[in-house]
Amino acid sequence: MGETELKQLGLPEYWDERYKDESTLTSDLVNLGYHDQISVDFSNTVIAQMQSRYPNLDWRVDDVRHLQLEDRSIDIAIDKGTMDAMLYGSPWDPPPEVQDNVAKYVNEIARLLRPKDIADHFAIAFSGKWIYITFRQPHFVKAQVARDSIWNLRVVRLDDGPGTFEYFGYIMAKHDSPNQGLTAGPSERETA
């Protein structure tokens, strides 16, 4: 896929024309007892298909760079391909628009996550976490997601053994203090 085609991944129209969901993440979470979910996508087609599969869940058309949700209103965020669709160009030096879009998205997650110490007693162990699962290598991703004044970053290698494709889980755990800043600019990014 060339750079022009990769740029298309960041447009709702691309997904409107091609989307066919095979993901079971939502139903897997429901089966584990997590019924209070908000699922967001910027494609009307994606949301319509998912609403037909899981009508009892909260599905919203929204832009992850400017989410219509209140500050500190989310206990945990899970990314299963959103940021991957935003990233194109050289991983060593992403184009300015990629850096800008990713920074807006990461800062929105930081704004939305509820710190552990203000979560309800049931969610306290899991609150304030963002989990991003991707094949992208840590030395490229850390520079995009690190916000030292907002959260601690841990990388977990996900591997099913020899011959399997290697994935990474990035776990950002928000600092406990609600007095920490809601967002941090690119100057606070860790360089790997």
Side-chain angles (χ1 to χ4, degrees):
M1 206 177 232
E3 187 169 323
T4 301
E5 291 83 15
L6 289 171
K7 283 183 181 182
Q8 300 301 310
L9 294 174
L11 301 174
E13 297 80 16
Y14 176 89
W15 298 106
D16 287 345
E17 294 172 14
R18 293 166 182 81
Y19 183 75
K20 182 178 185 308
D21 185 48
E22 302 296 333
S23 174
T24 62
L25 179 61
T26 299
S27 63
D28 292 344
L29 290 171
V30 167
N31 291 336
L32 290 170
Y34 299 99
H35 299 275
D36 189 12
Q37 300 179 44
I38 300 172
S39 298
V40 174
D41 200 286
F42 66 177
S43 167
N44 286 309
T45 300
V46 169
I47 293 301
Q49 287 183 18
M50 296 307 288
Q51 281 177 326
S52 69
R53 285 179 70 182
Y54 308 103
N56 296 328
L57 296 177
D58 187 350
W59 297 95
R60 301 180 188 189
V61 176
D62 208 344
D63 184 336
V64 296
R65 297 165 296 181
H66 310 284
L67 289 162
Q68 304 302 307
L69 297 167
E70 293 182 30
D71 293 355
R72 299 179 175 144
S73 61
I74 302 295
D75 290 314
I76 187 167
I78 301 172
D79 181 324
K80 66 173 192 71
T82 299
M83 188 160 22
D84 288 335
M86 293 179 173
L87 298 170
Y88 62 86
S90 168
W92 298 103
D93 187 23
E97 71 181 26
V98 169
Q99 293 179 39
D100 183 55
N101 284 330
V102 169
K104 286 177 181 174
Y105 171 42
V106 172
N107 289 337
E108 275 294 271
I109 298 299
R111 179 183 72 79
L112 295 173
L113 285 179
R114 182 179 298 141
K116 279 195 318 193
D117 60 350
I118 62 170
D120 67 43
H121 68 280
F122 177 75
I124 199 117
F126 302 105
S127 280
K129 290 190 175 62
W130 176 31
I131 300 169
Y132 169 45
I133 300 168
T134 184
F135 61 90
R136 297 181 186 277
Q137 299 290 311
H139 51 274
F140 298 122
V141 173
K142 283 182 180 180
Q144 301 295 330
V145 301
R147 300 289 188 277
D148 293 339
S149 67
I150 304 293
W151 51 49
N152 297 319
L153 169 61
R154 184 168 62 112
V155 180
V156 178
R157 187 170 162 247
L158 308 172
D159 183 349
D160 282 338
T164 61
F165 196 71
E166 183 175 66
Y167 280 84
F168 297 91
Y170 297 86
I171 303 166
M172 284 64 69
K174 196 162 186 179
H175 300 304
D176 287 346
S177 174
N179 297 323
Q180 294 287 335
L182 291 175
T183 62
S187 63
E188 295 222 14
R189 290 189 196 148
E190 175 185 319
T191 53

